[in-house]
Amino acid sequence: RKEVEQDPGPFNVPEGATVAFNCTYSNSASQSFFWYRQDCRKEPKLLMSVYSSGNEDGRFTAQLNRASQYISLLIRDSKLSDSATYLCVVRRGSQGNLIFGKGTKLSVKP
Amino acid sequence: DAGITQSPRHKVTETGTPVTLRCHQTENHRYMYWYRQDPGHGLRLIHYSYGVKDTDKGEVSDGYSVSRSKTEDFLLTLESATSSQTSVYFCAISELGTSGSYEQFFGPGTRLTVL
């Protein structure tokens, strides 16, 4: 079993839609959780860290369920500019290396 | 902007030749990382550094070596390049984020093709 698993998509949604991405991780020792976005042929960029209590940043909401080892990302009111690949990432320890999922591709259409 | 640059940005080389990729940062970060990204795989850690002359192996370190003789530069060397090392290579730094946990930020990447 892969350490971090995501639905690869693609998710094709119209502008204004709400879309949810899910991610599961297998190592219960994972301590930190992140969502990154990656545009085609670009570097991954940190979208948001995921807090135990869940957190929101504008149209983006991240949730963590440690008991189920599950992370989610909700995007409301999708924009064309949200089209990208979303990477679920976990880390063991404060400075341990990041473990990346393969990513979920989102395409927002007019 | 985490102040990370990578050079070269693109390189084509032949099997068996040595290749060195450079990562340069301007903000005195202690931790630096080299990842590779391939279709069908998530980013995978090659090597990382936790200070000058302090380095350690990652998940896919075979065929690669690194050096860090000064804080701002982290070099990745392919001693004898093979076609399986054709990939996109990303450098990253780690810094304490507003969340209270360390967050990693990536350079623009180097596209390496080994013929």
Side-chain angles (χ1 to χ4, degrees):
Chain A
R1 181 184 174 188
K2 294 289 185 185
E3 188 159 352
V4 179
E5 295 204 64
Q6 298 180 248
D7 182 338
F11 284 47
N12 297 307
V13 303
E15 271 188 291
T18 295
V19 60
F21 301 136
N22 301 318
C23 169
T24 57
Y25 62 96
S26 60
N27 193 324
S28 59
S30 299
Q31 293 187 12
S32 303
F33 309 89
F34 310 91
W35 284 101
Y36 281 74
R37 71 168 278 167
Q38 186 173 25
D39 294 288
C40 187
R41 301 178 73 83
K42 298 287 190 180
E43 73 272 24
K45 293 189 175 179
L46 180 65
L47 181 63
M48 56 199 303
S49 299
V50 186
Y51 306 151
S52 295
S53 56
N55 47 301
E56 187 175 305
D57 183 2
R59 297 182 294 109
F60 300 84
T61 300
Q63 297 280 352
L64 169 65
N65 184 322
R66 285 186 184 270
S68 302
Q69 296 181 197
Y70 171 94
I71 309 161
S72 65
L73 177 68
L74 185 75
I75 305 175
R76 290 181 298 279
D77 189 22
S78 299
K79 312 291 186 190
L80 297 176
S81 58
D82 293 333
S83 296
T85 297
Y86 290 82
L87 307 174
C88 177
V89 184
V90 305
R91 183 177 61 213
R92 291 175 250 130
S94 62
Q95 288 282 19
N97 59 287
L98 301 181
I99 309 298
F100 284 79
K102 295 181 183 179
T104 300
K105 187 171 182 179
L106 172 66
S107 182
V108 182
K109 307 290 188 184
Chain B
D1 184 357
I4 309 167
T5 56
Q6 293 184 231
S7 59
R9 295 292 313 281
H10 302 268
K11 186 170 182 66
V12 180
T13 191
E14 293 189 350
T15 297
T17 59
V19 176
T20 295
L21 309 182
R22 179 182 184 237
C23 178
H24 179 78
Q25 53 118 344
T26 58
E27 298 182 4
N28 206 36
H29 297 292
R30 180 181 169 198
Y31 279 79
M32 298 183 75
Y33 307 81
W34 276 108
Y35 290 87
R36 62 178 288 175
Q37 186 174 34
D38 305 289
H41 295 273
L43 275 82
R44 293 177 292 172
L45 182 70
I46 305 171
H47 282 279
Y48 67 99
S49 170
Y50 47 97
V52 173
K53 298 192 190 312
D54 291 323
T55 65
D56 208 346
K57 295 179 180 180
E59 176 189 357
V60 290
S61 59
D62 287 349
Y64 301 95
S65 63
V66 290
S67 65
R68 191 157 177 213
S69 59
K70 45 186 179 177
T71 299
E72 57 266 37
D73 288 325
F74 190 31
L75 304 181
L76 177 70
T77 297
L78 289 65
E79 303 290 349
S80 177
T82 67
S83 59
S84 65
Q85 294 176 310
T86 292
S87 188
V88 181
Y89 292 86
F90 289 104
C91 174
I93 58 88
S94 178
E95 65 180 30
L96 189 61
T98 55
S99 64
S101 64
Y102 282 89
E103 298 169 343
Q104 289 189 19
F105 297 90
F106 288 81
T110 295
R111 292 188 173 273
L112 176 67
T113 301
V114 183
L115 301 176

